[in-house]
Amino acid sequence: MSATFTDLKNKPILITGATRGIGRDIARSLATQGSHVIFNYRGGKQDVAEELKKELLDLGASKVDALEFDVTDAEAIASKLGDFVKENGPITGVVNNAGISKDQIILRLKEADISQALDVNLKGPILITVALSRGFLKAESVSIVNVSSIVGLMGNPSQIAYSASKAGLIGFTKSLAKELASRKVRCNAICPGFIDTDMTETLDPKVKDTYLAGIPLQRFGNPTEVANLTCFLLSDASSYITGEVIKIDGGLYI
Ligand code: NAP
């Protein structure tokens, strides 16, 4: 089930990490709202991008643009997004969704894993926001949604780097919300619990069962449920909400 937010029609919204999982469902939901969907994809995934572009147009997107860049590549972010805004005007909705998990017990945690988790999950969203910030100041209203995680709030064994990156994203969300509120830029974070995607697919079945036992709603969430919350936060229906951190976890962290 999904709600319709009429102000999302034609709204140019960037979503990172839309090739799979939660991001793909958010892109689909935005397409059904009639938004102008701008998504990024990594080099070597042109086929996936073309297929997604077609799917989103079929679902009702007013326009679709696919931009090739890695969220860890500062130069590519600045040039691709800079060129896009020059040609099309400001992007007024952003979903910083691309993310990786680098699960490892602390005894085996490598510097490269720490850097990768922080670069993709935290530095990437900041770089993207910096690249779009001048355009934000020219727009009537802007909404940014950062996809954090419940483990950024409650911590989790073997997820030191991941949970630190997701907690950092919450700090970034609150600071940006304070800094740009007077310019009608809102910024919120969402904290999904366990959602059925490739990221949770790799979990040991025994570990999955243990997690499941701790979820009052007794099931993992699905990406469409996360997409619904994201559409609400992108829309003016949430116009008085900023700097907020919203859990979507079936009650896991009550
Ligand atoms: P997923 O299925 O593994 O998909 C991750 C997406 O991020 C893919 O589109 C991937 O692109 C993209 N990506 C990864 N690294 C990238 C990079 N360096 N540059 C550009 N794109 C990159 O993950 P998911 O489960 O949908 O998770 C989406 C977000 O929700 C993540 O931020 C994750 O931390 C968060 N989250 C997920 C859960 C969960 O239970 N699933 C829970 C809490 C939070 P490729 O296809 O090119 O790899």
Side-chain angles (χ1 to χ4, degrees):
M1 193 181 134
S2 54
T4 301
F5 300 100
T6 49
D7 64 303
L8 293 184
K9 198 168 171 54
N10 300 318
K11 188 177 171 79
I13 301 171
L14 170 71
I15 157 115
T16 64
T19 49
R20 294 184 280 126
I22 293 172
R24 194 162 181 133
D25 259 60
I26 294 173
R28 286 184 181 123
S29 293
L30 291 172
T32 60
Q33 307 281 348
S35 306
H36 172 182
V37 184
I38 306 137
F39 70 87
N40 92 301
Y41 65 98
R42 291 199 273 186
K45 297 249 164 133
Q46 277 83 358
D47 294 358
V48 182
E50 277 310 313
E51 182 213 322
L52 179 59
K53 211 171 162 177
K54 189 179 171 314
E55 183 188 358
L56 298 177
L57 286 169
D58 288 347
L59 284 169
S62 58
K63 202 174 168 200
V64 181
D65 285 291
L67 306 179
E68 184 193 322
F69 63 83
D70 190 299
V71 301
T72 61
D73 186 341
E75 243 175 69
I77 289 172
S79 78
K80 293 277 161 98
L81 292 179
D83 290 351
F84 182 88
V85 171
K86 246 185 234 159
E87 265 175 47
N88 300 275
I91 288 175
T92 60
V94 181
V95 185
N96 281 309
N97 164 79
I100 52 162
S101 57
K102 283 281 168 191
D103 299 357
Q104 189 56 271
I105 57 168
I106 192 145
L107 291 174
R108 295 207 192 116
L109 196 56
K110 304 259 188 310
E111 187 194 350
D113 295 334
I114 303 168
S115 298
Q116 219 188 335
L118 292 171
D119 283 353
V120 176
N121 299 345
L122 179 57
K123 195 169 156 194
I126 299 175
L127 288 171
I128 286 166
T129 309
V130 169
L132 295 175
S133 56
R134 274 187 202 288
F136 291 163
L137 304 186
K138 293 183 190 141
E140 243 173 59
S141 74
V142 174
S143 175
I144 300 161
V145 178
N146 289 327
V147 183
S148 178
S149 167
I150 201 69
V151 307
L153 291 172
M154 63 186 232
N156 208 25
S158 304
Q159 292 200 305
I160 300 280
Y162 180 72
S163 62
S165 70
K166 293 299 188 179
L169 199 52
I170 291 171
F172 157 52
T173 302
K174 292 182 178 180
S175 295
L176 191 77
K178 285 188 173 178
E179 187 167 329
L180 292 187
S182 64
R183 310 301 296 257
K184 299 204 171 57
V185 178
R186 296 186 297 114
C187 183
N188 292 289
I190 62 170
C191 290
F194 290 93
I195 309 297
D196 273 323
T197 67
D198 291 350
M199 201 176 261
T200 42
E201 186 64 28
T202 50
L203 287 173
D204 183 304
K206 275 191 198 147
V207 175
K208 261 189 177 181
D209 286 347
T210 311
Y211 286 139
L212 213 44
I215 301 173
L217 285 182
Q218 299 182 329
R219 63 174 178 85
F220 282 8
N222 65 63
T224 308
E225 291 170 315
V226 181
N228 286 340
L229 172 61
T230 306
C231 286
F232 167 68
L233 289 172
L234 287 168
S235 124
D236 284 345
S238 60
S239 53
Y240 203 50
I241 301 177
T242 195
E244 204 42 78
V245 181
I246 301 178
K247 294 179 284 169
I248 173 159
D249 66 348
L252 173 67
Y253 190 40
I254 291 174

